[in-house]
Amino acid sequence: MSVSSKSSGITSNRWFKPVVVTAGALVVALILVLVAQWLRTLQPVQQFLTDYPGHSAIPEGTPTGFPAWLGWQHFLNMFFIVLIIRSGWQVRTTTRPPAYWTRNNKGFIKTKNPPSKISLDLWFHLTLDALWVLNGIIFIVLLFATGQWLRIVPTNWDVFPNAVSAGLQYASLNWPVENGWNNYNSLQLLTYFITVFIAAPLAIITGIRMSGAWPKKSAVNKFYPIELARKIHFPVMIYFVAFVIVHVSLVLATGALNNLNHMYASNNDYSWWGFGIFAASIVFTAAAWFLARPLFLRPIASLMGKVSR
């Protein structure tokens, strides 16, 4: 067999699995849509959708609309999450890092033992993690200080059947009425609650445990081994990837201009301001994605430690 035919076979095998997985996912999605549409023809299901239209009543005192700080938080969260996913994947898949970083054992953080040398990719990932956590702390404080928490924390048990109703409506492609300026549907509410109060803390707790700062013979290994943290951390990353894909898809498919104005321009109209800010944020994030390489990371990392090959 010639070299060209071998390389052709390798290329074919490389593309075969993704094509099969994509085709399988499309078939499953089509079946899901057809089943959901059939279910909606049944009288008990129609009654269920009438009793539970997809959203719960908001608690008294819930603020209306989105303040400007929430728009900034939304952008920063998106920015950090995208780069955290990128750098985390590099840490997981890179076998020969392009450079290494060693922390300066001076200033605010001092340790008895010499600092460990880590890859430049891991330094970037941990730096982004720290900025994301800081931004998250600010977000949580403002969330509860302004009452915005009432929009994403379940306060009534009927949120669960309403979430099932909203899910069925999405699956049948006859989507629930959008009124995000005043009240999220129950599936949105539960998803945001899981993301903010479950997935994000899990990412932080497991990420801290995976840090190289822990001594190898630390007592924490007995009740919280690093292997357990790794088993949790990666699926949480997959959750965030799935959340971003679904979230962005639905934002664009359920009234893009209005939704983008909610999130980025803090108004409830159909102007192009929100889209313009969103487009600028995408360009900024794409530029950061491109610049996040050793050539540009080395000078910044050198300010905090020693970079070596």
Side-chain angles (χ1 to χ4, degrees), residues 148-160:
Q148 287 286 334
W149 68 272
L150 290 167
R151 295 169 58 89
I152 63 170
V153 175
T155 57
N156 196 311
W157 284 106
D158 74 353
V159 69
F160 297 105

Side-chain angles (χ1 to χ4, degrees), residues 78 81-82 85 237-253:
M78 177 201 73
I81 282 293
V82 168
I85 291 172
M237 186 199 77
I238 298 299
Y239 169 83
F240 275 108
V241 171
F243 171 80
V244 170
I245 293 173
V246 174
H247 178 62
V248 172
S249 298
L250 290 178
V251 164
L252 298 178

